[in-house]
């Protein structure tokens, strides 16, 4: 049995939590109601919504189902929002506030590198 601890939740995990919280709030749904409908214990759900616990794919699917969200879109949006944050610091633009995500996505779409990672504009 593994004895190592899990890594802290990443910016990607936290971006998913922010999105799910927004959608839950927009629907005026309580944590208790989302917990009951998704089948996830309320304490675990609260930790995931706070971004302090990792989302299991089945848990995320259940929550997306309750909130009538497309899980692929939720994950894709979180990926787009956080992908640049997970790039090696040596490849990051010095001015993080000036990142144009549309420009980054265009570079990703047109990049022909074998690594599959887009060039940083």
């Amino acid at each position: 049995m593994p004895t190592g601890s899990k890594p802290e939740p990443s910016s990607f995990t936290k971006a998913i939590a922010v999105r799910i919280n927004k959608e839950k709030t927009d629907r005026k749904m309580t944590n208790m109601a989302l917990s009951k409908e998704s089948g996830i214990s309320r304490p675990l759900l609260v930790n995931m919504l706070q971004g302090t616990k990792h989302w299991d794919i089945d848990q995320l699917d259940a929550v997306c189902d309750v909130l009538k969200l497309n899980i692929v879109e939720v994950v894709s949006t979180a990926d787009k929002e956080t992908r640049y944050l997970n790039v090696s610091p040596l490849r990051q633009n010095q001015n993080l506030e000036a990142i144009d995500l549309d420009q980054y996505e265009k570079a990703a779409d047109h990049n022909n590198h074998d690594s599959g990672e887009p060039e940083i504009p």
Side-chain angles (χ1 to χ4, degrees), residues 33-98:
L34 184 56
S35 170
K36 271 186 177 178
E37 290 188 45
S38 66
I40 301 169
S41 74
R42 192 181 122 341
L44 177 59
L45 179 67
V46 167
N47 285 331
M48 291 186 303
L49 291 173
Q50 291 173 343
T52 59
K53 290 283 184 188
H54 296 273
W55 288 89
D56 172 289
I57 192 71
D58 293 324
Q59 295 163 335
L60 181 58
D61 186 49
V63 167
C64 286
D65 188 48
V66 170
L67 296 174
K68 309 241 183 299
L69 299 172
N70 181 320
I71 189 172
V72 173
E73 190 273 331
V74 170
V75 170
S76 176
T77 300
D79 179 57
K80 288 177 185 175
E81 291 173 353
T82 60
R83 178 178 299 262
Y84 189 78
L85 299 175
N86 297 322
V87 173
S88 163
L90 297 175
R91 296 182 62 206
Q92 286 181 357
N93 187 328
Q94 296 299 317
N95 185 357
L96 294 178
E97 291 79 32

Side-chain angles (χ1 to χ4, degrees), residues 105-120:
E105 287 174 357
K106 287 177 191 173
D109 290 340
H110 292 93
N111 187 7
N112 291 327
H113 283 256
D114 292 333
S115 69
E117 292 187 24
E119 286 184 27
I120 304 302

